[in-house]
Amino acid sequence: MLRKSFRTALVVLLAGALLVVLAVVLIGPSSISLQEEVLHEERSQDSGMTYVYGGEHYSSDLRLLRVVRPTGVAHELRLGPHVTDYYYPVLLELGAGREPRVRDVGWLPDRVVVRFESGESLEVPADNFRSVR
């Protein structure tokens, strides 16, 4: 009897481990960060712009990151009031695999406009990043 319980527990444990491995292999690699490097960083407050959320004025942060994942290298723009903890992510797919370089950032009351040295630009509505808490 004890032997049968042990076998059942072992089968359940192995099945659970197999499910975890499958989840990591199929889903995880695109979301696991092995290394993150900040390529550009700034705050809206430095440009004189704050955003209202819940009756309070907040500065928003912007970070452009180079992210190394098991599936390869990606570039991500993160926006939010405390970008190290809470942020709105934007995956960048600019140009022919070149590393994006920010030329300038325009903080506007209803959006942020990020212009890249490649001539491309990106607009993110303020509603997407002002309430990320």
Side-chain angles (χ1 to χ4, degrees):
M1 184 74 166
L2 184 60
R3 207 169 221 201
K4 189 175 181 180
S5 315
F6 178 73
R7 283 185 189 161
T8 304
L10 185 60
V11 168
V12 169
L13 182 64
L14 289 175
L18 181 62
L19 286 175
V20 168
V21 168
L22 281 173
V24 167
V25 168
L26 297 176
I27 299 169
S30 62
S31 62
I32 297 170
S33 296
L34 300 175
Q35 178 185 9
E36 294 181 353
E37 178 184 352
V38 178
L39 302 175
H40 183 88
E41 184 173 29
E42 67 178 76
R43 298 184 58 144
S44 68
Q45 190 172 16
D46 295 340
S47 298
M49 179 60 64
T50 57
Y51 296 92
V52 178
Y53 178 71
E56 299 283 329
H57 283 267
Y58 295 95
S59 178
S60 187
D61 302 328
L62 176 143
R63 276 191 177 174
L64 172 61
L65 296 168
R66 179 180 187 268
V67 183
V68 178
R69 295 192 169 104
T71 55
V73 176
H75 293 92
E76 187 175 282
L77 192 67
R78 294 179 182 174
L79 295 152
H82 303 288
V83 80
T84 55
D85 300 317
Y86 308 103
Y87 56 86
Y88 177 77
V90 180
L91 184 62
L92 298 178
E93 295 180 13
L94 305 173
R98 295 176 303 213
E99 189 158 272
R101 298 199 188 285
V102 175
R103 182 179 54 187
D104 64 67
V105 178
W107 296 98
L108 303 168
D110 62 338
R111 67 188 180 282
V112 63
V113 180
V114 183
R115 292 174 199 82
F116 298 92
E117 289 182 1
S118 64
E120 297 167 288
S121 65
L122 173 73
E123 292 189 25
V124 180
D127 287 343
N128 290 1
F129 61 84
R130 81 170 117 217
S131 61
V132 181
R133 298 206 176 279

